[in-house]
Amino acid sequence: MVIDAARLALANLLAPETRKLFWKVLGITLLLLVGLWLALHGAIVAFALPWVESFFPDLPDWAGGVAFVFTIFAGAGLAFGLAFLLSPVTAVVAGLFLDDIAEVVERRDYPADRQGTAMPLVPAMIGSLKFLGVVVVGNIIALILLFVPGINLIAFFLVNGYLLGREFFEFAAMRFRSPEEARSFRAKHSTTVFLGGLIIAAFLAVPIVNLLTPLFAAAMMVHLHKLLSVRDPLFANQLRR
């Protein structure tokens, strides 16, 4: 069941609607990072250099060239630092479009079922930040355990598998259930959800490809929620139009 959900999610990533969504997410992410770089670089030029000149008013003429080189290296350093933010910032932006990928999956693969209910903008933004927090906390824990021989890689998969599986499955479930019902349904199928989370963690571990993690995870858990719901006759009937 988990493998089927992952296979279907990979197929969804290749759909034209999903490709457009990915480029939209990546474009917004890059615009945010460029804007952040310009703001930070401008702050360095506007505040740091005058501050140095105020403390050292008798700098020789060649100091202007040094200051110019400093601004270049500062800009390059900022760009290098922001490169590490590409994945988490993409996660935040993609979190605002999770309902869009869920709708693509539901329309393409479950046309006979009723559509789920999208989250309002504010809860969606909160959910996006919550996802970022989950990834950050999970990786901090994994980083701490990195220094414990023999369990560092295992820790990465276990921590991220649990956290990512829980968050994305409850997102998919809450499109059809109340938050309390979603958490209860996730707890009922906790082992299956955890296995799904391990696949998402493996996806997250692949450089560049991991930019697609939020979209892949949302699609996969929509499929997994549907497949598990079919086993519940009462709720399966509620999914029908």
Side-chain angles (χ1 to χ4, degrees):
M1 180 180 296
V2 173
I3 299 300
D4 288 338
R7 176 179 55 80
L8 291 169
L10 287 174
N12 289 130
L13 289 182
L14 301 176
E17 302 92 332
T18 309
R19 290 201 300 270
K20 293 177 182 177
L21 189 58
F22 169 68
W23 288 118
K24 182 190 298 185
V25 169
L26 188 58
I28 294 174
T29 300
L30 292 177
L31 285 176
L32 287 174
L33 291 176
V34 169
L36 182 58
W37 182 89
L38 291 173
L40 292 175
H41 190 263
I44 291 174
V45 173
F47 298 104
L49 292 182
W51 181 80
V52 172
E53 291 173 355
S54 67
F55 275 86
F56 304 97
D58 299 322
L59 288 174
D61 294 337
W62 53 263
V66 174
F68 177 72
V69 173
F70 170 77
T71 59
I72 293 177
F73 276 97
L78 286 173
F80 182 76
L82 290 178
F84 288 96
L85 294 178
L86 182 60
S87 182
V89 173
T90 301
V92 173
V93 175
L96 301 176
F97 295 92
L98 293 183
D99 280 305
D100 293 340
I101 183 65
E103 289 173 5
V104 169
V105 172
E106 291 167 5
R107 284 197 308 268
R108 286 175 56 88
D109 297 325
Y110 306 96
D113 293 357
R114 67 178 176 87
Q115 296 288 302
T117 302
M119 296 177 65
L121 179 60
V122 173
M125 293 179 65
I126 294 174
S128 177
L129 293 174
K130 185 178 180 182
F131 166 70
L132 176 63
V134 165
V135 172
V136 170
V137 170
N139 284 279
I140 287 176
I141 295 173
L143 181 63
I144 294 172
L145 294 175
L146 180 66
F147 300 99
V148 181
I151 68 169
N152 42 22
L153 187 62
I154 296 173
F156 172 85
F157 282 102
L158 291 181
V159 172
N160 281 288
Y162 171 75
L163 293 174
L164 294 173
R166 184 190 69 185
E167 293 301 319
F168 279 100
F169 187 82
E170 289 185 5
F171 152 76
M174 281 190 289
R175 287 178 56 82
F176 296 94
R177 306 169 187 263
S178 69
E180 294 76 17
E181 291 172 335
R183 285 190 287 269
S184 176
F185 191 69
R186 191 264 307 167
K188 181 179 179 181
H189 300 282
S190 57
T191 301
T192 302
V193 172
F194 174 66
L195 292 175
L198 289 179
I199 292 179
I200 297 173
F203 199 93
L204 181 66
V206 182
I208 305 301
V209 174
N210 59 10
L211 296 176
L212 290 168
T213 299
L215 302 182
F216 169 76
M220 178 179 173
M221 288 307 185
V222 167
H223 285 297
L224 191 60
H225 175 257
K226 289 279 189 178
L227 294 171
L228 289 172
S229 295
V230 170
R231 297 183 174 184
D232 183 349
L234 292 177
F235 190 78
N237 291 332
Q238 296 177 20
L239 289 176
R240 300 299 174 183
R241 294 182 184 275

